[in-house]
Amino acid sequence: MENRGRKKRRLQRTKSNREWCSSSLDANTIFALMLAAICNSNEPYSESVIKRCLNSLHLSLIPNSQNAAFGLHQTLPIPILSLLPILLNSKCDEIVSRSTEIAGAASIFSFEMNEQIALDGEIVKGLILAVGASNKMVSVAACNAVLDLSTTSIGRERLLEFSALEHLMFKYLQVPESSKRLVSICSLDKGGNICLRIGVKEDDLVVLLLNAAITLINTYDIDQLENMPRKLSEAFSVYLKELWVKVHNQMLLRNTVKFGQDEHFNLSSIRTNNLAESIFRLSINAGHLTTPFPFEVVKKSIFGTRESSFENFILNHWEVSPLLVRSLSKGLNEQDDVFSSFIQYLNLKKTVSSFVLPLLQGLVSCLPIDSDELNILNFLKTVRNELGCLIIYGQDIRVLRTMGHLKEEVHFFQESSEPCIKAPHFLYIDDILKCEDAYNKGYTIALRGMEFRFESIAAIADGLASLFGQPSVGVNLYLTPPDSQGLARHYDDHCVFVCQLFGTKQWTIVSQPIVSLPRLYEPLDSLHSSKIGNSMAGRTQFLLREGDILYIPRGFPHEACTVAESGGPDETTGFSLHLTLAIEVEPPFEWEGFAHVALHCWNQSSKSIHYTSVDPLSEILSVMSVNLLHIAIRLIGDSDPTFRKACLVAAITLPSDSKCWLGLNQRTIFIYIIDKICSESGFLEALRVVEVAIQKNEDPFQRLRWLQLLNWEAEMIEEHGGDFPSVGFEKLSSLFNQHRDKAEVAFMNVKSKFCCEVAFEDVIDSYGMVFVGRDRPCCIQHDEICHESPKVATPKGQPVLWQRLSSIRYSSSKKAVTGWVYFHLIVCFVCHYVIQYVS
């Protein structure tokens, strides 16, 4: 987009050349004149002729410039295009500048002209080299031309092919620091929507370089980002982060300039979200890795040094009953205490506000990602207009307390917690300052996604995820003032380790869980205090002191409050600060998910045997029976508690020797699962699910879309050997109903063979593919301060997943299936610099 300065220069030049241009004849004449001048470059008149010809050509490309009066075509003929590479390499800065302006103007005149310019490699290279010119006029014109050329996909591809981004970044790094400091945010009202764009006072070159560089950065794919020169991208990224600090603080303070208010303000087309996206994309190439704590260290910090302690936990407490582990930190070396780094960080702060307020000021929010989104860059394109916004109440942070005899939750920002409020409540500086006031009034500050904010917590989360064979672990922080209760009694759909860092807290857990383990993404029943009763019968109380860890299985109702500890130093009620490490079991990592993988694995290995019937109907019924058996397994999973339990086959503690205690435990459960499928999988019940889904115009396999990580689409009803056409779900139901007896026989035959032939060892490798495909790498730099995931109402009941796989999840929200390896870097790198600045 052209800025106002560029438009003004164009208008001035247009006016001064209008008289000379009006005497021009046509493009052929201009070509002949320029060619003659180029061939006679030593003649004194040659530069003057070329300049006038270029002015005439440039005017012909400007809309509403009475082009017809000049007898010129409104496109550049190929002969004239052929002269541009020579002109772009002229020793005369004015000729180079005007030539780049012509190339830019032609690029935005029409798609065809843009394509012609882009496909001429010599022109593209000439424009890119002109960006690095020592003459500012030439560099500005070249930046404008690059922006014009980048308005089409082919233009961007060609610019990237000839390393335009590297030249732009290098040129920006050469700009004096004084020219980069006067940064402001401009607010534009576009149809009632306020758009925040970045601008720089005085120096338009800085704006153009940033504009062009960010435009191309946000076009790069993963391979291109990884192939960029590492040192150059890191150096440029430093400047973007410093710019983000200024931009973020102006957003936080609502310190914006209205468009047109400052005539010395050079406005770019860079929005705040564009800058945030660029920082994220460059972070992919940064090469910083977070090293998780070894799972043995995590295990020692939580369960102690004896192997029997962890074995006892898995066999007797995991997803069965609570367990309190008293402080082990005194018996551990500092390097074996995974919480010591974070605790030391907090010890540096004298008061609650001294670390909470700077933390909140530096955070940005993020958006949920759909469960079936496997390409994080595609997701960025979808939500790029909302990236980098301030933290949102209810999504990133809650400030609440439980009050009254009914023990109901009350939010400090009451208007933001109402379900009918659709507009997000961004926390500006005044709201953040109110959080301290809320804390002093008894409100708990609940901050989500600590594993995205502190490197040490990220290392704990990744280590704990490895220990339990789950893709990831989410971490929340709760700061509760004296004599107060934050959340009301509730139960979670994920298992939790409560890690008491400071102070004490009294926990009450109802001993008997609900009938079946709650699943992620399923709605949680509201637990009102009266439903459980006020009696202490059936409850267990735990007083957590500093260093204690409490395990709470999913489905167990619980509540907690700060209390005065009898016999304590002063027997007064103190504050509490604790972390919750949430191990959330995504559908693929339940035993039902393992059963689906087992069926897929068996089907792939046995296709050549079972699908060779000479009877086309029998073959297609067999193929469809496999898919119907997936539905039958899903039905069993809805009712059988064991199918809902977490599968620990991918646990890093599971050695190759399957005779170990954990291996034997998992094998025993697998045998139970297969026996259950064999005895309870019903043809009619599964077929009925398909029929109901068809009537509702729904996909009966929607819940199983994650199987595409195993190329499950090849298992669906497709052409087999080119003999059979694809069969839709409607035809499936019709086909089975027409041949009910044969279909049921085929189903029972497939089920019987599967249950008899499937082997535990054969499934493990395929299960590992799901595990890797769902992205649980232990490799990303969290820099000290990172990001969080939200709790929002799910549109139209569709699942929403947070950016990191299984990372953080709350009631109606869901998390990212994949791509977290890249996505959370935006907050890792952005927030780190903001926190440093505000601290």
Side-chain angles (χ1 to χ4, degrees), residues 324-328 498-501 543-550:
L324 174 62
V325 181
R326 289 298 179 188
S327 176
L328 300 170
V498 180
C499 307
Q500 190 70 29
L501 301 183
L543 181 63
L544 266 65
R545 303 179 180 89
E546 293 182 8
D548 291 345
I549 297 176
L550 175 63

Side-chain angles (χ1 to χ4, degrees), residues 295-296 299 307 310 466-467 648-667 760-761 764:
F295 74 92
E296 287 291 349
K299 186 166 65 173
E307 175 65 24
F310 181 64
S466 300
L467 183 64
L648 304 183
V649 170
I652 202 168
T653 53
L654 183 62
S656 57
D657 182 7
S658 60
K659 294 183 179 180
C660 73
W661 65 268
L662 185 55
L664 291 173
N665 171 265
Q666 298 297 284
R667 179 183 291 273
F760 180 68
E761 290 77 7
I764 292 178

Side-chain angles (χ1 to χ4, degrees), residues 449-638:
M450 294 298 293
E451 79 277 24
F452 293 107
R453 293 171 177 156
F454 286 86
E455 183 179 3
S456 58
I457 294 180
I460 297 171
D462 287 338
L464 192 62
S466 300
L467 183 64
F468 285 93
Q470 300 302 313
S472 63
V473 169
V475 186
N476 295 346
L477 178 146
Y478 296 88
L479 176 65
T480 304
D483 194 24
S484 181
Q485 177 175 341
L487 276 65
R489 183 179 300 144
H490 66 283
Y491 68 85
D492 297 311
D493 57 10
H494 49 268
C495 294
V496 171
F497 287 95
V498 180
C499 307
Q500 190 70 29
L501 301 183
F502 291 100
T504 59
K505 206 164 194 179
Q506 181 79 48
W507 288 80
T508 301
I509 303 177
V510 177
S511 299
Q512 295 299 323
I514 58 178
V515 177
S516 185
L517 290 174
R519 276 178 160 163
L520 291 177
Y521 319 144
E522 292 180 345
L524 300 180
D525 295 331
S526 177
L527 278 182
H528 195 278
S529 302
S530 60
K531 290 185 178 181
I532 301 177
N534 294 320
S535 171
M536 293 305 294
R539 303 180 183 186
T540 305
Q541 290 191 322
F542 302 90
L543 181 63
L544 266 65
R545 303 179 180 89
E546 293 182 8
D548 291 345
I549 297 176
L550 175 63
Y551 167 71
I552 306 175
R554 50 178 165 149
F556 278 70
H558 56 272
E559 60 185 338
C561 59
T562 48
V563 296
E565 182 180 2
S566 178
D570 53 8
E571 296 196 15
T572 60
T573 301
F575 79 99
S576 167
L577 180 69
H578 77 264
L579 298 175
T580 58
L581 309 180
I583 302 178
E584 299 158 319
V585 184
E586 289 275 348
F589 306 105
E590 296 178 341
W591 274 105
E592 180 193 322
F594 192 82
H596 287 300
V597 175
L599 177 56
H600 167 85
C601 179
W602 169 83
N603 183 55
Q604 294 297 314
S605 63
S606 60
K607 272 183 177 181
S608 60
I609 300 176
H610 301 311
Y611 299 152
T612 57
S613 172
V614 295
D615 180 9
L617 177 62
S618 297
E619 182 174 348
I620 200 168
L621 289 177
S622 296
V623 175
M624 288 309 305
S625 293
V626 173
N627 295 281
L628 204 62
L629 186 53
H630 277 296
I631 299 295
I633 292 173
R634 196 190 84 187
L635 290 175
I636 299 175
D638 288 339

Side-chain angles (χ1 to χ4, degrees), residues 43-101:
E43 296 296 334
Y45 63 82
S46 60
E47 285 190 1
S48 176
V49 171
I50 293 174
K51 292 176 185 178
R52 287 178 176 247
C53 289
L54 290 176
N55 289 336
S56 180
L57 285 172
H58 185 251
L59 186 63
S60 72
L61 295 169
I62 298 177
N64 304 319
S65 59
Q66 299 178 357
N67 303 303
F70 308 144
L72 296 174
H73 298 289
Q74 293 185 353
T75 58
L76 290 182
I78 293 178
I80 294 179
L81 283 176
S82 66
L83 298 179
L84 279 181
I86 301 174
L87 299 172
L88 289 171
N89 287 282
S90 172
K91 296 180 180 180
C92 176
D93 290 335
E94 188 176 346
I95 290 177
V96 176
S97 176
R98 181 56 79 188
S99 298
T100 59
E101 289 180 347

Side-chain angles (χ1 to χ4, degrees), residues 761-797:
E761 290 77 7
D762 295 338
V763 184
I764 292 178
D765 289 341
S766 294
Y767 188 69
M769 290 174 59
V770 178
F771 196 71
V772 174
R774 305 277 285 196
D775 256 332
R776 189 191 57 83
C778 308
C779 61
I780 295 302
Q781 171 74 24
H782 293 252
D783 262 340
E784 256 335 279
I785 304 291
C786 301
H787 169 65
E788 132 46 314
S789 294
K791 172 184 179 180
V792 295
T794 305
K796 299 181 180 179

Side-chain angles (χ1 to χ4, degrees), residues 136-279:
K136 182 178 178 180
M137 175 184 66
V138 174
S139 186
V140 167
C143 285
N144 277 316
V146 167
L147 284 168
D148 292 337
L149 187 58
S150 68
T151 54
T152 66
S153 58
I154 188 172
R156 292 189 295 271
E157 289 173 6
R158 294 288 283 175
L159 287 168
L160 296 175
E161 180 181 343
F162 288 100
S163 303
L165 178 56
E166 287 82 344
H167 284 79
L168 288 165
M169 292 193 299
F170 185 76
K171 179 66 175 179
Y172 183 85
L173 295 176
Q174 293 179 317
V175 175
E177 289 296 320
S178 57
S179 301
K180 305 173 185 176
R181 294 173 181 170
L182 301 176
V183 177
S184 298
I185 300 179
C186 180
S187 59
L188 288 81
D189 190 342
K190 291 191 174 183
N193 296 322
I194 301 300
C195 169
L196 297 180
R197 284 165 49 181
I198 301 170
V200 179
K201 290 188 176 182
E202 306 300 340
D203 198 334
D204 55 347
L205 179 59
V206 172
V207 168
L208 291 170
L209 288 169
L210 272 176
N211 205 348
I214 287 177
T215 297
L216 294 182
I217 289 172
N218 293 346
T219 304
Y220 262 25
D221 58 28
I222 297 296
D223 292 336
Q224 291 168 323
L225 288 166
E226 292 178 344
N227 291 330
M228 285 181 59
R230 178 68 55 82
K231 291 184 178 180
L232 179 61
S233 65
E234 288 181 349
F236 189 70
S237 182
V238 168
Y239 282 99
L240 293 188
K241 294 166 190 173
E242 292 175 351
L243 175 61
W244 176 260
V245 171
K246 301 173 184 177
V247 168
H248 180 84
N249 279 292
Q250 290 185 40
M251 292 168 57
L252 197 65
L253 299 170
R254 303 191 190 191
N255 185 15
T256 61
V257 177
K258 289 186 178 180
F259 181 68
Q261 196 174 42
D262 189 342
E263 60 181 10
H264 300 293
F265 188 75
N266 292 287
L267 182 64
S268 74
S269 61
I270 307 170
R271 299 187 181 187
T272 55
N273 56 282
N274 300 142
L275 176 59
E277 182 180 354
S278 292
I279 294 174

